């Protein structure tokens, strides 16, 4: 299963990024083969709607789950429409979160926040 | 004659100045372009209110015609569009209504529908016609409301006072575009100078005649005044840091209508601004 984590750098020594839409990279990790690759997040420098664009790229990468500390409501709408599951990370370590995910210990992310730039939000 | 009142930050005194100048004129129009938080109406308490809806166009996709080429998704600089599971999703609140997606769609799958983003409220308060732009909470941009506000007064014969939003971004540029003169309101602090510099740069970029009004003046040194002297900017006047004025203002009273001292201060300021505007108009034609 292909999972995605927003990260600060493009190496396995990096940490989970606190932002989803504006994370500099996404780690794409295959839980079966344990292969990893990194995707540049071209949405990070967007003027607006970064979450939407980042979510679109992840959907296009055919990931089945996203592990993230937080997610805005616009991005969540894209992710949900694509049928991808959102899980809440437990700390900033990639290894800990991958391990917890494999053991089925991660909870679904349910506290979706309104947009940070007066875009989303109702 | 259109006079815009602006400043680099909120709370400097734009509304105090524009409201009192409008009240000091024999007959005038006050336009509140601070559409995210308009407050001039709190002072004027206008009567005979009339509301006018402001709408923008947003895209809608005909999923049958859309072939998923994503030209629109890639074009949108605001990322208001996503293509998920063979379906185009539009994020209405992120859309800036540029119409680009409609122009670029090779399949003609996108059409436009109207969306209300706010209202324009007009009413009367004594000698002043009060026009207020009100943007709905959560909307991306107030520019369409400001465009409409200023379009409606293009042929106005009375003096028009434009109360601008704070800062120097798009909505401020839109607000001063048609102005004949810009009054920059400044606070007597180093932070105030920084904010003054922002709007000073903007009015020069727009080649607008301008002058500075020093607000909240104390006896001590005024960095904003020094900035004006150094850059040879016209100082229109000084408003003292005054408890009486502050109290009237926080009670929602218009100083010009309540106190002869301030009636005189703003009348004199108005005369000077009119003189400056005429002088600038004459020397530029």
């Amino acid at each position: 299963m292909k999972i995605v984590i927003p990260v600060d750098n493009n190496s396995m020594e990096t940490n989970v990024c606190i932002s989803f839409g504006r994370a500099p990279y996404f780690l794409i990790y295959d839980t079966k083969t344990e292969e990893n690759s990194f995707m540049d997040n071209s949405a990070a420098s967007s003027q607006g709607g970064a979450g939407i664009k980042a979510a679109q790229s992840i959907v296009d990468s055919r990931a089945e789950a996203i592990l993230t500390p937080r997610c805005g409501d616009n991005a969540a709408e894209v992710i949900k429409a694509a049928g991808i599951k959102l899980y809440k990370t437990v700390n900033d370590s990639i290894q800990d979160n991958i391990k917890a995910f494999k053991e089925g210990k991660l909870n679904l992310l349910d506290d979706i926040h309104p947009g940070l730039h007066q875009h989303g939000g109702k | 004659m259109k006079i815009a009142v602006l400043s680099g930050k909120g709370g400097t005194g734009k509304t105090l100045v524009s409201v009192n100048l409008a009240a000091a004129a024999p007959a005038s129009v006050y336009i509140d372009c601070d559409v995210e938080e308009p407050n001039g109406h709190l002072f004027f308490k206008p009567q005979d209110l009339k509301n006018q809806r402001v709408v923008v166009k947003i895209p809608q996709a005909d999923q049958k015609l859309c072939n998923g080429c994503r030209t629109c998704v890639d074009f949108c600089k605001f990322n208001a569009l996503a293509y998920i599971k063979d379906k185009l999703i539009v994020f209405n609140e992120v859309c800036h209504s540029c119409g680009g997606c409609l122009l670029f769609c090779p399949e003609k799958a996108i059409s436009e529908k109207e969306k209300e983003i706010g209202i324009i409220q007009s009413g009367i308060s004594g000698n002043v016609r009060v026009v207020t732009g009100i943007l709905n909470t959560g909307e991306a941009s107030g520019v369409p409301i400001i465009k409409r506000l200023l379009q409606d007064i293009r042929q106005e014969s009375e003096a028009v006072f434009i109360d601008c939003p704070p800062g120097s971004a798009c909505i401020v540029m839109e607000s001063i575009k048609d102005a004949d003169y810009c009054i920059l309101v400044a606070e007597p602090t180093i932070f105030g100078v920084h904010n003054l510099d922002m709007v000073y740069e903007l009015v020069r970029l727009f080649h607008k005649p301008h002058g500075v009004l020093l607000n909240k003046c104390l006896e001590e040194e005024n960095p904003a005044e020094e900035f004006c002297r150094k850059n040879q900017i016209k100082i229109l006047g000084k408003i003292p840091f005054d408890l009486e004025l502050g109290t009237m203002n926080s009670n929602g009273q218009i100083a010009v209508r309540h106190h002869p001292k301030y009636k005189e201060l703003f009348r004199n300021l108005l005369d000077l601004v009119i003189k400056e505007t005429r002088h600038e108009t004459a020397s530029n034609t």
Side-chain angles (χ1 to χ4, degrees), chain A residues 46-49 52-53 56 59-60 74 77-78 81-82 118-119 121-122, chain B residues 70 73 77-79 81-85 89 91 93-94 138-140:
Chain A
S46 293
Q47 200 175 348
I52 298 169
K53 192 176 180 185
Q56 173 85 63
V59 172
D60 296 344
N74 287 334
E77 195 178 325
V78 173
Q118 283 107 47
H119 288 161
K122 297 287 177 298
Chain B
R70 299 196 189 190
V73 176
K77 290 287 165 287
F78 298 98
N79 301 313
L81 300 158
Y83 189 78
I84 305 297
K85 289 210 162 170
I89 306 178
F91 289 87
E93 279 145 351
V94 182
E139 288 300 335

PDB file of all heavy atoms in Angstrom, chain A residues 46-49 52-53 56 59-60 74 77-78 81-82 118-119 121-122, chain B residues 70 73 77-79 81-85 89 91 93-94 138-140:
ATOM      1  N   SER A  46       2.606  28.362  -3.770  1.00  0.00           N
ATOM      2  CA  SER A  46       1.377  28.934  -4.350  1.00  0.00           C
ATOM      3  C   SER A  46       0.944  30.173  -3.600  1.00  0.00           C
ATOM      4  O   SER A  46       1.103  30.271  -2.395  1.00  0.00           O
ATOM      5  CB  SER A  46       0.223  27.934  -4.264  1.00  0.00           C
ATOM      6  OG  SER A  46       0.458  26.836  -5.078  1.00  0.00           O
ATOM      7  N   GLN A  47       0.333  31.079  -4.359  1.00  0.00           N
ATOM      8  CA  GLN A  47      -0.219  32.290  -3.748  1.00  0.00           C
ATOM      9  C   GLN A  47      -1.413  31.925  -2.863  1.00  0.00           C
ATOM     10  O   GLN A  47      -1.610  32.490  -1.798  1.00  0.00           O
ATOM     11  CB  GLN A  47      -0.668  33.202  -4.875  1.00  0.00           C
ATOM     12  CG  GLN A  47      -0.805  34.632  -4.444  1.00  0.00           C
ATOM     13  CD  GLN A  47      -1.139  35.513  -5.623  1.00  0.00           C
ATOM     14  OE1 GLN A  47      -1.053  35.114  -6.782  1.00  0.00           O
ATOM     15  NE2 GLN A  47      -1.535  36.726  -5.316  1.00  0.00           N
ATOM     16  N   GLY A  48      -2.181  30.971  -3.310  1.00  0.00           N
ATOM     17  CA  GLY A  48      -3.344  30.532  -2.530  1.00  0.00           C
ATOM     18  C   GLY A  48      -3.717  29.129  -2.957  1.00  0.00           C
ATOM     19  O   GLY A  48      -3.233  28.637  -3.982  1.00  0.00           O
ATOM     20  N   GLY A  49      -4.549  28.487  -2.182  1.00  0.00           N
ATOM     21  CA  GLY A  49      -5.040  27.163  -2.556  1.00  0.00           C
ATOM     22  C   GLY A  49      -3.971  26.090  -2.580  1.00  0.00           C
ATOM     23  O   GLY A  49      -4.082  25.104  -3.311  1.00  0.00           O
ATOM     24  N   ILE A  52      -5.162  22.504  -1.918  1.00  0.00           N
ATOM     25  CA  ILE A  52      -5.906  21.883  -3.031  1.00  0.00           C
ATOM     26  C   ILE A  52      -4.923  21.288  -4.039  1.00  0.00           C
ATOM     27  O   ILE A  52      -5.054  20.146  -4.462  1.00  0.00           O
ATOM     28  CB  ILE A  52      -6.817  22.933  -3.721  1.00  0.00           C
ATOM     29  CG1 ILE A  52      -7.851  23.475  -2.733  1.00  0.00           C
ATOM     30  CG2 ILE A  52      -7.497  22.332  -4.957  1.00  0.00           C
ATOM     31  CD1 ILE A  52      -8.612  24.689  -3.221  1.00  0.00           C
ATOM     32  N   LYS A  53      -3.902  22.100  -4.385  1.00  0.00           N
ATOM     33  CA  LYS A  53      -2.935  21.658  -5.394  1.00  0.00           C
ATOM     34  C   LYS A  53      -2.094  20.486  -4.874  1.00  0.00           C
ATOM     35  O   LYS A  53      -1.842  19.521  -5.609  1.00  0.00           O
ATOM     36  CB  LYS A  53      -2.024  22.836  -5.768  1.00  0.00           C
ATOM     37  CG  LYS A  53      -1.191  22.574  -7.001  1.00  0.00           C
ATOM     38  CD  LYS A  53      -0.393  23.805  -7.390  1.00  0.00           C
ATOM     39  CE  LYS A  53       0.432  23.511  -8.638  1.00  0.00           C
ATOM     40  NZ  LYS A  53       1.309  24.632  -8.968  1.00  0.00           N
ATOM     41  N   GLN A  56      -4.148  17.409  -4.954  1.00  0.00           N
ATOM     42  CA  GLN A  56      -4.289  16.931  -6.331  1.00  0.00           C
ATOM     43  C   GLN A  56      -3.071  16.088  -6.727  1.00  0.00           C
ATOM     44  O   GLN A  56      -3.206  15.005  -7.293  1.00  0.00           O
ATOM     45  CB  GLN A  56      -4.441  18.129  -7.284  1.00  0.00           C
ATOM     46  CG  GLN A  56      -4.430  17.757  -8.764  1.00  0.00           C
ATOM     47  CD  GLN A  56      -5.806  17.331  -9.287  1.00  0.00           C
ATOM     48  OE1 GLN A  56      -6.759  18.098  -9.297  1.00  0.00           O
ATOM     49  NE2 GLN A  56      -5.916  16.070  -9.703  1.00  0.00           N
ATOM     50  N   VAL A  59      -3.225  12.724  -5.013  1.00  0.00           N
ATOM     51  CA  VAL A  59      -4.240  11.880  -5.646  1.00  0.00           C
ATOM     52  C   VAL A  59      -3.655  11.278  -6.929  1.00  0.00           C
ATOM     53  O   VAL A  59      -3.787  10.080  -7.184  1.00  0.00           O
ATOM     54  CB  VAL A  59      -5.522  12.696  -5.961  1.00  0.00           C
ATOM     55  CG1 VAL A  59      -6.491  11.870  -6.798  1.00  0.00           C
ATOM     56  CG2 VAL A  59      -6.183  13.172  -4.678  1.00  0.00           C
ATOM     57  N   ASP A  60      -2.970  12.141  -7.700  1.00  0.00           N
ATOM     58  CA  ASP A  60      -2.389  11.687  -8.970  1.00  0.00           C
ATOM     59  C   ASP A  60      -1.286  10.637  -8.765  1.00  0.00           C
ATOM     60  O   ASP A  60      -1.006   9.844  -9.654  1.00  0.00           O
ATOM     61  CB  ASP A  60      -1.820  12.873  -9.756  1.00  0.00           C
ATOM     62  CG  ASP A  60      -2.920  13.845 -10.171  1.00  0.00           C
ATOM     63  OD1 ASP A  60      -4.105  13.448 -10.125  1.00  0.00           O
ATOM     64  OD2 ASP A  60      -2.605  15.000 -10.524  1.00  0.00           O
ATOM     65  N   ASN A  74     -10.188  22.481   2.551  1.00  0.00           N
ATOM     66  CA  ASN A  74     -10.211  22.359   1.088  1.00  0.00           C
ATOM     67  C   ASN A  74      -9.436  21.123   0.628  1.00  0.00           C
ATOM     68  O   ASN A  74      -9.894  20.362  -0.213  1.00  0.00           O
ATOM     69  CB  ASN A  74      -9.637  23.614   0.428  1.00  0.00           C
ATOM     70  CG  ASN A  74     -10.590  24.800   0.528  1.00  0.00           C
ATOM     71  OD1 ASN A  74     -11.800  24.625   0.627  1.00  0.00           O
ATOM     72  ND2 ASN A  74     -10.040  25.994   0.510  1.00  0.00           N
ATOM     73  N   GLU A  77     -11.291  18.002   1.359  1.00  0.00           N
ATOM     74  CA  GLU A  77     -12.389  17.752   0.424  1.00  0.00           C
ATOM     75  C   GLU A  77     -11.875  16.997  -0.814  1.00  0.00           C
ATOM     76  O   GLU A  77     -12.508  16.056  -1.281  1.00  0.00           O
ATOM     77  CB  GLU A  77     -13.020  19.086   0.016  1.00  0.00           C
ATOM     78  CG  GLU A  77     -14.374  18.907  -0.642  1.00  0.00           C
ATOM     79  CD  GLU A  77     -15.031  20.234  -1.010  1.00  0.00           C
ATOM     80  OE1 GLU A  77     -14.863  21.225  -0.261  1.00  0.00           O
ATOM     81  OE2 GLU A  77     -15.711  20.276  -2.057  1.00  0.00           O
ATOM     82  N   VAL A  78     -10.702  17.432  -1.311  1.00  0.00           N
ATOM     83  CA  VAL A  78     -10.095  16.757  -2.472  1.00  0.00           C
ATOM     84  C   VAL A  78      -9.730  15.321  -2.112  1.00  0.00           C
ATOM     85  O   VAL A  78     -10.031  14.376  -2.854  1.00  0.00           O
ATOM     86  CB  VAL A  78      -8.828  17.518  -2.934  1.00  0.00           C
ATOM     87  CG1 VAL A  78      -8.099  16.749  -4.028  1.00  0.00           C
ATOM     88  CG2 VAL A  78      -9.182  18.923  -3.421  1.00  0.00           C
ATOM     89  N   ALA A  81     -12.801  13.154  -1.697  1.00  0.00           N
ATOM     90  CA  ALA A  81     -13.430  12.872  -3.005  1.00  0.00           C
ATOM     91  C   ALA A  81     -12.684  11.764  -3.729  1.00  0.00           C
ATOM     92  O   ALA A  81     -13.263  10.992  -4.491  1.00  0.00           O
ATOM     93  CB  ALA A  81     -13.469  14.131  -3.850  1.00  0.00           C
ATOM     94  N   ALA A  82     -11.365  11.684  -3.473  1.00  0.00           N
ATOM     95  CA  ALA A  82     -10.545  10.669  -4.141  1.00  0.00           C
ATOM     96  C   ALA A  82     -10.578   9.336  -3.397  1.00  0.00           C
ATOM     97  O   ALA A  82     -10.013   8.348  -3.860  1.00  0.00           O
ATOM     98  CB  ALA A  82      -9.108  11.175  -4.249  1.00  0.00           C
ATOM     99  N   GLN A 118      -7.893  32.800   5.008  1.00  0.00           N
ATOM    100  CA  GLN A 118      -9.236  33.329   4.794  1.00  0.00           C
ATOM    101  C   GLN A 118      -9.867  32.772   3.529  1.00  0.00           C
ATOM    102  O   GLN A 118     -10.761  33.344   2.964  1.00  0.00           O
ATOM    103  CB  GLN A 118      -9.225  34.874   4.696  1.00  0.00           C
ATOM    104  CG  GLN A 118      -9.081  35.523   6.031  1.00  0.00           C
ATOM    105  CD  GLN A 118      -7.707  36.109   6.210  1.00  0.00           C
ATOM    106  OE1 GLN A 118      -7.222  36.783   5.331  1.00  0.00           O
ATOM    107  NE2 GLN A 118      -7.081  35.845   7.326  1.00  0.00           N
ATOM    108  N   HIS A 119      -9.338  31.648   3.062  1.00  0.00           N
ATOM    109  CA  HIS A 119      -9.983  31.051   1.909  1.00  0.00           C
ATOM    110  C   HIS A 119     -11.055  30.093   2.395  1.00  0.00           C
ATOM    111  O   HIS A 119     -12.182  30.476   2.518  1.00  0.00           O
ATOM    112  CB  HIS A 119      -8.959  30.356   0.999  1.00  0.00           C
ATOM    113  CG  HIS A 119      -8.126  31.360   0.282  1.00  0.00           C
ATOM    114  ND1 HIS A 119      -6.932  31.073  -0.279  1.00  0.00           N
ATOM    115  CD2 HIS A 119      -8.341  32.665   0.057  1.00  0.00           C
ATOM    116  CE1 HIS A 119      -6.439  32.171  -0.837  1.00  0.00           C
ATOM    117  NE2 HIS A 119      -7.286  33.135  -0.645  1.00  0.00           N
ATOM    118  N   GLY A 121     -13.023  27.574   5.188  1.00  0.00           N
ATOM    119  CA  GLY A 121     -13.789  27.994   6.355  1.00  0.00           C
ATOM    120  C   GLY A 121     -15.189  28.404   5.953  1.00  0.00           C
ATOM    121  O   GLY A 121     -15.401  28.901   4.865  1.00  0.00           O
ATOM    122  N   LYS A 122     -16.134  28.139   6.807  1.00  0.00           N
ATOM    123  CA  LYS A 122     -17.513  28.501   6.458  1.00  0.00           C
ATOM    124  C   LYS A 122     -18.019  29.563   7.404  1.00  0.00           C
ATOM    125  O   LYS A 122     -17.635  29.627   8.534  1.00  0.00           O
ATOM    126  CB  LYS A 122     -18.420  27.261   6.550  1.00  0.00           C
ATOM    127  CG  LYS A 122     -18.055  26.159   5.570  1.00  0.00           C
ATOM    128  CD  LYS A 122     -18.441  26.508   4.147  1.00  0.00           C
ATOM    129  CE  LYS A 122     -18.042  25.479   3.117  1.00  0.00           C
ATOM    130  NZ  LYS A 122     -16.642  25.215   2.959  1.00  0.00           N
TER     131      LYS A 122
ATOM    132  N   ARG B  70      -7.391  18.933 -17.921  1.00  0.00           N
ATOM    133  CA  ARG B  70      -6.804  19.699 -16.819  1.00  0.00           C
ATOM    134  C   ARG B  70      -6.167  21.020 -17.234  1.00  0.00           C
ATOM    135  O   ARG B  70      -5.392  21.594 -16.459  1.00  0.00           O
ATOM    136  CB  ARG B  70      -5.737  18.882 -16.084  1.00  0.00           C
ATOM    137  CG  ARG B  70      -6.280  17.633 -15.459  1.00  0.00           C
ATOM    138  CD  ARG B  70      -5.288  17.151 -14.470  1.00  0.00           C
ATOM    139  NE  ARG B  70      -5.633  15.845 -13.984  1.00  0.00           N
ATOM    140  CZ  ARG B  70      -5.014  15.296 -12.968  1.00  0.00           C
ATOM    141  NH1 ARG B  70      -4.039  15.934 -12.363  1.00  0.00           N
ATOM    142  NH2 ARG B  70      -5.362  14.107 -12.559  1.00  0.00           N
ATOM    143  N   VAL B  73      -7.208  23.379 -14.555  1.00  0.00           N
ATOM    144  CA  VAL B  73      -6.567  23.128 -13.255  1.00  0.00           C
ATOM    145  C   VAL B  73      -5.149  23.708 -13.261  1.00  0.00           C
ATOM    146  O   VAL B  73      -4.730  24.370 -12.314  1.00  0.00           O
ATOM    147  CB  VAL B  73      -6.521  21.609 -12.953  1.00  0.00           C
ATOM    148  CG1 VAL B  73      -5.763  21.333 -11.661  1.00  0.00           C
ATOM    149  CG2 VAL B  73      -7.928  21.038 -12.874  1.00  0.00           C
ATOM    150  N   LYS B  77      -4.095  30.091 -11.041  1.00  0.00           N
ATOM    151  CA  LYS B  77      -3.011  30.478 -10.131  1.00  0.00           C
ATOM    152  C   LYS B  77      -3.442  30.381  -8.668  1.00  0.00           C
ATOM    153  O   LYS B  77      -2.629  30.399  -7.765  1.00  0.00           O
ATOM    154  CB  LYS B  77      -2.561  31.908 -10.424  1.00  0.00           C
ATOM    155  CG  LYS B  77      -1.828  32.064 -11.735  1.00  0.00           C
ATOM    156  CD  LYS B  77      -0.423  31.475 -11.630  1.00  0.00           C
ATOM    157  CE  LYS B  77       0.178  31.283 -12.991  1.00  0.00           C
ATOM    158  NZ  LYS B  77      -0.407  30.165 -13.762  1.00  0.00           N
ATOM    159  N   PHE B  78      -4.751  30.343  -8.437  1.00  0.00           N
ATOM    160  CA  PHE B  78      -5.246  30.295  -7.061  1.00  0.00           C
ATOM    161  C   PHE B  78      -5.629  28.876  -6.659  1.00  0.00           C
ATOM    162  O   PHE B  78      -6.114  28.652  -5.567  1.00  0.00           O
ATOM    163  CB  PHE B  78      -6.427  31.261  -6.906  1.00  0.00           C
ATOM    164  CG  PHE B  78      -6.026  32.680  -7.180  1.00  0.00           C
ATOM    165  CD1 PHE B  78      -6.248  33.257  -8.408  1.00  0.00           C
ATOM    166  CD2 PHE B  78      -5.358  33.419  -6.212  1.00  0.00           C
ATOM    167  CE1 PHE B  78      -5.843  34.553  -8.668  1.00  0.00           C
ATOM    168  CE2 PHE B  78      -4.948  34.715  -6.463  1.00  0.00           C
ATOM    169  CZ  PHE B  78      -5.184  35.285  -7.700  1.00  0.00           C
ATOM    170  N   ASN B  79      -5.414  27.911  -7.568  1.00  0.00           N
ATOM    171  CA  ASN B  79      -5.732  26.509  -7.305  1.00  0.00           C
ATOM    172  C   ASN B  79      -7.171  26.303  -6.855  1.00  0.00           C
ATOM    173  O   ASN B  79      -7.443  25.574  -5.911  1.00  0.00           O
ATOM    174  CB  ASN B  79      -4.762  25.936  -6.256  1.00  0.00           C
ATOM    175  CG  ASN B  79      -3.312  26.044  -6.711  1.00  0.00           C
ATOM    176  OD1 ASN B  79      -2.994  25.705  -7.841  1.00  0.00           O
ATOM    177  ND2 ASN B  79      -2.449  26.546  -5.854  1.00  0.00           N
ATOM    178  N   LEU B  81      -9.378  24.929  -8.676  1.00  0.00           N
ATOM    179  CA  LEU B  81      -9.940  23.781  -9.384  1.00  0.00           C
ATOM    180  C   LEU B  81      -9.130  22.523  -9.114  1.00  0.00           C
ATOM    181  O   LEU B  81      -7.904  22.587  -9.004  1.00  0.00           O
ATOM    182  CB  LEU B  81      -9.936  24.052 -10.892  1.00  0.00           C
ATOM    183  CG  LEU B  81     -10.745  25.266 -11.387  1.00  0.00           C
ATOM    184  CD1 LEU B  81     -10.243  25.721 -12.730  1.00  0.00           C
ATOM    185  CD2 LEU B  81     -12.215  24.924 -11.441  1.00  0.00           C
ATOM    186  N   ALA B  82      -9.823  21.404  -8.989  1.00  0.00           N
ATOM    187  CA  ALA B  82      -9.132  20.122  -8.854  1.00  0.00           C
ATOM    188  C   ALA B  82      -9.881  19.112  -9.718  1.00  0.00           C
ATOM    189  O   ALA B  82     -11.093  19.247  -9.928  1.00  0.00           O
ATOM    190  CB  ALA B  82      -9.124  19.671  -7.395  1.00  0.00           C
ATOM    191  N   TYR B  83      -9.143  18.139 -10.255  1.00  0.00           N
ATOM    192  CA  TYR B  83      -9.783  17.111 -11.076  1.00  0.00           C
ATOM    193  C   TYR B  83      -9.590  15.764 -10.393  1.00  0.00           C
ATOM    194  O   TYR B  83      -8.491  15.221 -10.362  1.00  0.00           O
ATOM    195  CB  TYR B  83      -9.188  17.098 -12.485  1.00  0.00           C
ATOM    196  CG  TYR B  83      -9.959  16.204 -13.421  1.00  0.00           C
ATOM    197  CD1 TYR B  83     -11.160  16.624 -13.975  1.00  0.00           C
ATOM    198  CD2 TYR B  83      -9.499  14.932 -13.739  1.00  0.00           C
ATOM    199  CE1 TYR B  83     -11.887  15.806 -14.818  1.00  0.00           C
ATOM    200  CE2 TYR B  83     -10.214  14.100 -14.591  1.00  0.00           C
ATOM    201  CZ  TYR B  83     -11.409  14.543 -15.118  1.00  0.00           C
ATOM    202  OH  TYR B  83     -12.138  13.736 -15.948  1.00  0.00           O
ATOM    203  N   ILE B  84     -10.663  15.259  -9.804  1.00  0.00           N
ATOM    204  CA  ILE B  84     -10.582  14.052  -8.981  1.00  0.00           C
ATOM    205  C   ILE B  84     -11.606  13.023  -9.457  1.00  0.00           C
ATOM    206  O   ILE B  84     -12.789  13.342  -9.581  1.00  0.00           O
ATOM    207  CB  ILE B  84     -10.875  14.396  -7.499  1.00  0.00           C
ATOM    208  CG1 ILE B  84      -9.943  15.510  -6.989  1.00  0.00           C
ATOM    209  CG2 ILE B  84     -10.773  13.161  -6.611  1.00  0.00           C
ATOM    210  CD1 ILE B  84      -8.479  15.166  -6.967  1.00  0.00           C
ATOM    211  N   LYS B  85     -11.170  11.820  -9.668  1.00  0.00           N
ATOM    212  CA  LYS B  85     -12.057  10.722 -10.068  1.00  0.00           C
ATOM    213  C   LYS B  85     -12.977  11.124 -11.215  1.00  0.00           C
ATOM    214  O   LYS B  85     -14.205  11.066 -11.109  1.00  0.00           O
ATOM    215  CB  LYS B  85     -12.879  10.244  -8.861  1.00  0.00           C
ATOM    216  CG  LYS B  85     -12.028   9.497  -7.851  1.00  0.00           C
ATOM    217  CD  LYS B  85     -12.854   8.463  -7.124  1.00  0.00           C
ATOM    218  CE  LYS B  85     -11.943   7.443  -6.471  1.00  0.00           C
ATOM    219  NZ  LYS B  85     -12.644   6.554  -5.577  1.00  0.00           N
ATOM    220  N   ILE B  89     -13.745  19.632  -9.686  1.00  0.00           N
ATOM    221  CA  ILE B  89     -14.287  20.231  -8.461  1.00  0.00           C
ATOM    222  C   ILE B  89     -13.904  21.708  -8.452  1.00  0.00           C
ATOM    223  O   ILE B  89     -12.743  22.056  -8.689  1.00  0.00           O
ATOM    224  CB  ILE B  89     -13.706  19.559  -7.193  1.00  0.00           C
ATOM    225  CG1 ILE B  89     -13.910  18.042  -7.249  1.00  0.00           C
ATOM    226  CG2 ILE B  89     -14.345  20.124  -5.934  1.00  0.00           C
ATOM    227  CD1 ILE B  89     -13.308  17.321  -6.041  1.00  0.00           C
ATOM    228  N   PHE B  91     -13.616  25.165  -6.168  1.00  0.00           N
ATOM    229  CA  PHE B  91     -13.630  25.731  -4.823  1.00  0.00           C
ATOM    230  C   PHE B  91     -14.042  27.198  -4.928  1.00  0.00           C
ATOM    231  O   PHE B  91     -13.221  28.078  -5.182  1.00  0.00           O
ATOM    232  CB  PHE B  91     -12.265  25.559  -4.145  1.00  0.00           C
ATOM    233  CG  PHE B  91     -11.991  24.136  -3.770  1.00  0.00           C
ATOM    234  CD1 PHE B  91     -11.418  23.263  -4.677  1.00  0.00           C
ATOM    235  CD2 PHE B  91     -12.348  23.655  -2.516  1.00  0.00           C
ATOM    236  CE1 PHE B  91     -11.185  21.940  -4.350  1.00  0.00           C
ATOM    237  CE2 PHE B  91     -12.119  22.323  -2.174  1.00  0.00           C
ATOM    238  CZ  PHE B  91     -11.542  21.462  -3.088  1.00  0.00           C
ATOM    239  N   GLU B  93     -14.844  29.563  -2.910  1.00  0.00           N
ATOM    240  CA  GLU B  93     -14.279  30.606  -2.064  1.00  0.00           C
ATOM    241  C   GLU B  93     -12.845  30.959  -2.424  1.00  0.00           C
ATOM    242  O   GLU B  93     -12.331  31.991  -2.033  1.00  0.00           O
ATOM    243  CB  GLU B  93     -14.348  30.198  -0.582  1.00  0.00           C
ATOM    244  CG  GLU B  93     -15.714  30.456  -0.010  1.00  0.00           C
ATOM    245  CD  GLU B  93     -16.109  29.428   1.009  1.00  0.00           C
ATOM    246  OE1 GLU B  93     -15.398  28.422   1.151  1.00  0.00           O
ATOM    247  OE2 GLU B  93     -17.145  29.634   1.649  1.00  0.00           O
ATOM    248  N   VAL B  94     -12.182  30.071  -3.152  1.00  0.00           N
ATOM    249  CA  VAL B  94     -10.789  30.318  -3.532  1.00  0.00           C
ATOM    250  C   VAL B  94     -10.732  31.050  -4.887  1.00  0.00           C
ATOM    251  O   VAL B  94      -9.783  31.753  -5.195  1.00  0.00           O
ATOM    252  CB  VAL B  94     -10.010  28.987  -3.581  1.00  0.00           C
ATOM    253  CG1 VAL B  94      -8.551  29.207  -3.929  1.00  0.00           C
ATOM    254  CG2 VAL B  94     -10.112  28.262  -2.241  1.00  0.00           C
ATOM    255  N   GLY B 138     -15.194  35.455   4.657  1.00  0.00           N
ATOM    256  CA  GLY B 138     -14.636  34.270   4.012  1.00  0.00           C
ATOM    257  C   GLY B 138     -14.368  34.443   2.530  1.00  0.00           C
ATOM    258  O   GLY B 138     -13.762  33.571   1.917  1.00  0.00           O
ATOM    259  N   GLU B 139     -14.811  35.569   1.936  1.00  0.00           N
ATOM    260  CA  GLU B 139     -14.572  35.768   0.512  1.00  0.00           C
ATOM    261  C   GLU B 139     -13.116  36.121   0.247  1.00  0.00           C
ATOM    262  O   GLU B 139     -12.460  36.749   1.071  1.00  0.00           O
ATOM    263  CB  GLU B 139     -15.474  36.876  -0.039  1.00  0.00           C
ATOM    264  CG  GLU B 139     -16.941  36.485  -0.148  1.00  0.00           C
ATOM    265  CD  GLU B 139     -17.154  35.287  -1.069  1.00  0.00           C
ATOM    266  OE1 GLU B 139     -16.314  35.056  -1.961  1.00  0.00           O
ATOM    267  OE2 GLU B 139     -18.148  34.575  -0.874  1.00  0.00           O
ATOM    268  N   ALA B 140     -12.638  35.728  -0.939  1.00  0.00           N
ATOM    269  CA  ALA B 140     -11.215  35.898  -1.250  1.00  0.00           C
ATOM    270  C   ALA B 140     -10.829  37.356  -1.458  1.00  0.00           C
ATOM    271  O   ALA B 140      -9.771  37.790  -1.023  1.00  0.00           O
ATOM    272  CB  ALA B 140     -10.870  35.090  -2.491  1.00  0.00           C
TER     273      ALA B 140
END
